[in-house]
Amino acid sequence: MTILATIVLLGVLIFVHELGHFWAAKSVGVGVERFSIGLGPTIWGFRRGGTEYVLGAIPLGGYVKMQGMEDEVMEHLEGGASDSPREPRPGDFDAQPLAARAFVISAGVVMNMLFAFLLYTVVAAAWGVQELAVTRVMTVEESTLPAGTHSLADITPGAEIVRVGEVVPDSWNDIVRSLTEGRAGPLQVETTSPRAVFDIVVPPSDEERSALAASLGYWIDPVVGDVESGSPAAGASIEPEDRITRVAGVPVESWSDMLREIGARPGERVELRLLRDGTALTRIVELDDIESPTGERRGRLGVWNTEPAALTVPVGFVEAVALGWGETVRITRLILGFLRDLVTLNVSPRSVGSIGTIAVASGEAAAAGMDNFLRFMALFSINLAVLNMLPIPVLDGGHMIFLGIELVRGQKLTIKQRVRWSQVGLVVVVGIMVWALGNDLLRFLGL
């Protein structure tokens, strides 16, 4: 299943990406000489309408070879580069206006984003949406509560919200909707364990309502969902599903308790108490010392939490479209944030993976059901789009940089300049691939 899921994932997403370039090129009158899924030697292909359609032996990429586009790097991969100049023709890529060339170059990324949006929409419409089946409060951020709602700061961590106005919530999403979509004005919020009633005034503006809902954090048990490779947690043999019960002797009941105690000990060597399958364990961990966005030094363990149980709620088509768009935006922001943290070293370089990581994740997603696999495919499609727009020559982002330089200078870079920078870009891309493959190998060896 893992091998099949990986082949389907890469094949579909590469096809979608290159189809974007292909359609865009055809729409602006650029001749397409080759449409390739896969790199390296051709294992199957045919020719139609002046275009050669091929399947390459290495299923780790693809490309559209456009007429007159000086892409010597790809030609070198195919083993047939030529430096001899020729007269431009009407269907040449380089003969098109700059805007048309920018459209063709960016079309692959646009297709990947649209494909992700389509998948998220289809999954929402066909399978419904997952809502958090939790109504317990873990945290209340008093500083972001709007005027008239500060009484909510007195909610006891662990208390369960059983009523918001006239709504008896079954999920955290019900609570959020009641606070953001209900009428403005007086509202009662009731909790149990302990029982209490909080009188608030819901603000009229959407911005303040969003701030109100975001100020309440849902309950998350201090159970490890995943462990970052190369992190202090990985070095201490902490595993998924371990429940952290104490940090440096301090009892922790929620994920926020654990984060608070870990964060207060940057670079320290601390004792963690765990429960694993009912067995009490002790681990000694030397925490990372990182700088928070506010400049504060914080301790870091390198684990992710588990999400609460979910319940499925059916949605209509219009709502599915809105949800699909929202999820596309959210995942894009998460990936961009990960890249930022990687550059600033707030995320370990060991967390980057390649084909091995993709294969494992693909197999797990496929085993979890078609809806999960389609969601993973959507996520990876966005990931592919973002990575392709990195300003590295030989990637789409690098080509866009070339066009940007041409826009500023008023003339194109020479073929020699483009080849030189493309060779540099190829070295960078190969270096990243080797680095990612090395991480996969270390994970496979348990290091």
Side-chain angles (χ1 to χ4, degrees), residues 13-25:
L13 294 186
I14 291 170
F15 174 76
V16 167
H17 183 88
E18 300 308 331
L19 188 63
H21 291 308
F22 179 83
W23 279 346

Side-chain angles (χ1 to χ4, degrees), residues 296-314:
E296 181 185 7
R297 305 309 303 182
R298 301 284 296 171
R300 183 172 177 275
L301 181 59
V303 294
W304 287 280
N305 62 276
T306 55
E307 283 294 325
L311 54 89
T312 302
V313 178

Side-chain angles (χ1 to χ4, degrees), residues 146 176 179-182 184 202-214:
V176 171
L179 296 174
T180 58
E181 300 175 7
V202 177
S205 75
D206 291 340
E207 184 178 352
E208 287 181 304
R209 289 173 178 233
S210 295
L212 169 59

Side-chain angles (χ1 to χ4, degrees), residues 123-152:
V123 169
W127 281 275
V129 296
Q130 300 292 302
E131 298 195 346
L132 298 173
V134 59
T135 55
R136 293 177 70 195
V137 177
M138 183 172 69
T139 57
V140 180
E141 183 59 53
E142 185 175 7
S143 62
T144 58
L145 286 171
T149 65
H150 284 278
S151 63
L152 295 178

Side-chain angles (χ1 to χ4, degrees), residues 336-349 352 390 435:
L336 291 173
F338 174 80
L339 290 176
R340 178 202 61 215
D341 291 342
L342 191 64
V343 171
T344 59
L345 300 182
N346 283 331
V347 169
S348 170
V352 176
L390 292 178
W435 166 31

Side-chain angles (χ1 to χ4, degrees), residues 30 55 125 278 440:
V30 174
L55 186 65
D440 280 352

